[in-house]
């Protein structure tokens, strides 16, 4: 267990807080979803109420180590000001003269936001000099950026290490602690049955997760474009469906793993893998597509699979409704286009119903979180994770470098 902001004194301290404000924006630079900013408010408010001065660090976009005016944090600062209800000072540089002067001058109850950490070439290379410079700004380090914790960057890992070397505390923020608690429960002692639902398109990213979940989950339901890798692995036609040839051998390996386990483990201990029985196929990826339902193995060569079919939905809903723990990562189909959204919608509703009956339900993955939000079902879930890549690496069983470096409880 990692120490949190509740475990250390912060009154009168300069607290350096890493947040994840890498929010989506539209063409005109407006923030389209402020969830990541909103979710840090409890941490910031708690620290301010306790009499701390806050210096915030965040990255935005991929400026590749150079100043890029289109990726300045000004819009983020504006939104934070609104949500926090206080003035936010914004430095025009990350560790330059202005940042250094402002960080020295702020007092209790004040908030300073440093400019985009990725404007510094040393951020992504985890340069110790940059880390030292950042560390010199604060007396305490707090990491509340779960979504960036799988990267060992100067503002996530290096700075924490530098501060600890100086005898300064490095602890988790409240959002970070909540993410670790919910996701940790999945791998430790999940209420059973534990059902994992995996879909989306990032097949190679999710294979490692399936391998690790195979050891803790009871049922794994496959949907989305991931299905076609498993179809191909069984030498079935996938037509023009989304499919990358490098994914088929990995899917074949997984099929073998589940088969082997079934042969050696008692039925109640073996994790079962469910593949779609049927698909919705279309002639094109568009609102006015011609659609039909086909059995698995019968996708016409000139059609693309866009969603799971009604038999699969019925099957999966039954499994979900008896679950006590549910992890969902990856939409069941191309839900952004209306005719292909039914599978994702029905699964989301079933997960919502299971939560109401007392199941622990966790949504991981940016697009899955967006799907659940679009369907107005976010509030029904136990936890919607703010970190896509970070949650996947965590569920693969890897230790996140931005977390590993923080102080342990009892130390
Ligand atoms: P997440 O962000 O939740 O981890 P991914 O990024 O892996 O999920 O995949 C999300 C995307 O997968 C969505 O944009 C969705 O449209 C797409 N998708 C799901 N099923 C299909 C499919 N059958 N064909 C094409 N795209 C699909
Ligand atoms: Mg995604």
């Amino acid at each position: 267990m990692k120490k949190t902001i509740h475990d250390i004194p912060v009154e009168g301290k300069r607290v350096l807080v890493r947040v994840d404000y890498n929010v989506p924006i539209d063409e005109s630079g407006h923030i389209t979803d402020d969830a990541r900013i909103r979710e840090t408010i409890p941490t910031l408010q708690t620290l301010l109420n306790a009499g701390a001065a806050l210096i915030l660090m965040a990255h935005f976009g991929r400026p590749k180590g150079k100043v890029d005016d289109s990726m300045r944090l000004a819009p983020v600062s504006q939104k934070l000001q609104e949500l926090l209800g206080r003035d936010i000072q914004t430095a025009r540089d990350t560790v330059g003269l202005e940042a250094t002067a402002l960080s020295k001058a702020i007092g209790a109850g004040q908030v300073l936001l440093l400019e985009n950490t990725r404007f510094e070439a040393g951020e992504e290379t985890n340069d110790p000099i940059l880390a030292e410079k950042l560390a010199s700004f604060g007396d305490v380090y707090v990491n509340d950026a779960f979504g960036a914790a799988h990267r060992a960057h100067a503002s996530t890992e290096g700075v924490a290490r530098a501060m600890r070397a100086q005898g300064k505390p490095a602890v988790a923020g409240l959002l970070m602690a909540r993410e670790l608690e919910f996701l940790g429960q999945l791998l430790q002692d999940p209420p059973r049955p534990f059902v994992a639902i995996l879909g989306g398109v990032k097949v190679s990213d999710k294979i490692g997760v399936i391998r690790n979940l195979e050891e803790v989950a009871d049922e794994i339901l496959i949907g989305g474009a991931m299905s076609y890798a498993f179809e191909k692995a069984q030498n079935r036609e996938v037509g023009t469906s989304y499919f990358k040839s490098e994914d088929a051998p990995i899917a074949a390996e997984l099929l073998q793993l589940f088969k082997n386990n079934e042969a050696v483990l008692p039925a109640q201990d073996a994790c079962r893998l469910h593949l779609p029985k049927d698909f919705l196929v279309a002639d094109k990826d568009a609102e006015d597509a011609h659609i039909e339902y086909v059995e698995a193995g019968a996708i016409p060569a000139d059609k693309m699979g866009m969603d799971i079919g009604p038999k699969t939905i019925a099957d999966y809903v039954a499994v979900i409704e008896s679950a006590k723990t549910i992890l969902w990562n990856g939409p069941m189909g191309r839900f952004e286009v209306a005719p292909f959204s039914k599978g994702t919608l029905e699964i989301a509703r079933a997960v919502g119903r299971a939560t109401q009956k007392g199941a622990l339900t966790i949504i991981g993955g940016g697009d899955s979180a967006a799907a659940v939000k679009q369907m107005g079902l976010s509030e029904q879930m136990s936890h919607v994770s703010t970190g896509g890549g970070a949650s996947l690496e965590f569920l693969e069983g890897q230790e996140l470098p931005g977390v590993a470096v923080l102080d342990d409880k009892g130390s």
Side-chain angles (χ1 to χ4, degrees), residues 201-202 206 331 365-368:
V201 288
K202 291 187 192 151
K206 297 182 185 184
D367 293 290
S368 312

Side-chain angles (χ1 to χ4, degrees), residues 15 32 70 74 78 80 160 187 203 219 266 310 359-361 367 400 404-405:
V15 180
T32 54
S70 72
Q78 187 66 39
L80 176 62
L187 298 184
V203 185
E219 319 274 348
L360 168 72
T361 54
D367 293 290
L400 309 178
V405 70

Side-chain angles (χ1 to χ4, degrees), residues 10-282:
V10 296
E11 188 179 355
K13 301 271 184 348
R14 249 185 272 277
V15 180
L16 192 57
V17 190
R18 177 58 157 98
V19 285
D20 179 6
Y21 289 166
N22 196 21
V23 288
I25 52 165
D26 62 19
E27 301 86 57
S28 54
H30 284 113
I31 296 170
T32 54
D33 183 357
D34 62 11
R36 284 182 157 171
I37 304 176
R38 206 175 276 277
E39 300 238 27
T40 66
I41 300 297
T43 297
L44 305 186
Q45 203 64 66
T46 301
L47 291 167
L48 289 168
N49 291 347
L54 304 186
I55 301 165
L56 309 185
M57 301 178 287
H59 78 278
F60 185 72
R62 297 177 186 278
K64 300 262 160 70
K66 293 195 295 280
V67 174
D68 180 332
D69 283 327
S70 72
M71 294 180 202
R72 289 196 176 273
L73 289 178
V76 165
S77 177
Q78 187 66 39
K79 179 56 82 177
L80 176 62
Q81 188 151 312
E82 257 171 68
L83 293 172
L84 198 57
R86 306 193 182 221
D87 277 351
I88 308 293
Q89 301 177 45
T90 312
R92 298 265 302 163
D93 51 22
T94 316
V95 287
L97 291 177
E98 188 169 310
T100 306
L102 288 172
S103 68
K104 282 210 180 97
I106 65 160
Q110 294 185 318
V111 185
L112 166 67
L113 176 63
L114 303 179
E115 188 52 278
N116 194 342
T117 54
R118 289 197 185 165
F119 284 0
E120 290 292 325
E123 165 71 330
E124 296 190 60
T125 59
N126 199 2
D127 174 28
I129 296 168
L130 176 60
E132 286 284 341
K133 181 76 195 174
L134 287 167
S136 73
F137 288 174
D139 310 308
V140 172
Y141 175 74
V142 173
N143 193 341
D144 214 19
F146 177 73
H150 58 314
R151 306 274 183 244
H153 290 171
S155 67
T156 60
E157 198 270 348
V159 64
R161 201 152 31 88
M163 290 182 81
R164 291 188 60 177
Q166 295 166 22
K168 297 172 180 172
V171 304
L174 302 179
L175 173 60
M176 174 72 90
R178 189 156 55 93
E179 291 275 10
L180 295 174
E181 193 188 318
F182 272 106
L183 293 169
Q185 232 184 310
L186 293 177
L187 298 184
Q188 256 124 46
D189 193 15
R192 298 191 179 279
F194 171 14
V195 177
I197 313 162
L198 295 167
V201 288
K202 291 187 192 151
V203 185
S204 54
D205 286 7
K206 297 182 185 184
I207 295 292
V209 177
I210 298 180
R211 213 170 296 215
N212 200 42
L213 287 179
E214 185 272 326
E215 289 176 23
V216 282
D218 299 296
E219 319 274 348
I220 296 180
L221 314 179
I222 301 290
M226 187 173 288
S227 316
Y228 312 115
F230 287 95
E231 291 295 293
K232 267 282 187 191
Q234 301 170 84
N235 293 314
R236 290 172 167 176
E237 176 66 65
V238 299
T240 56
S241 307
Y242 180 98
F243 167 71
K244 286 204 182 117
S245 52
E246 68 259 31
D247 293 333
I250 317 175
E253 220 176 278
L254 286 171
L255 287 174
Q256 197 56 47
L257 170 74
F258 281 90
K259 211 187 224 165
N260 291 348
N261 283 350
E262 239 167 67
V264 298
L265 290 173
Q268 71 273 12
D269 291 346
C271 174
R272 279 171 294 273
L273 182 73
H274 301 248
L275 299 174
K277 284 189 176 136
D278 58 351
F279 297 105
L280 177 151
V281 297

Side-chain angles (χ1 to χ4, degrees), residues 197-203 206 221-228 242 276 279 305-308 313 316 327-337 340-348 351 363-375 392:
I197 313 162
L198 295 167
V201 288
K202 291 187 192 151
V203 185
K206 297 182 185 184
L221 314 179
I222 301 290
M226 187 173 288
S227 316
Y228 312 115
Y242 180 98
F279 297 105
M306 286 305 213
D307 196 8
I308 52 175
I313 294 176
Y316 286 8
L327 164 71
W328 183 12
N329 183 301
M332 294 291 100
R334 192 152 154 64
F335 74 95
E336 297 92 337
V337 184
F340 315 136
S341 62
K342 188 164 195 289
T344 301
L345 178 62
E346 294 299 332
I347 295 304
V351 176
I363 312 299
D367 293 290
S368 312
V372 168
K373 189 171 184 214
Q374 182 189 313
M375 289 160 185
L392 287 175

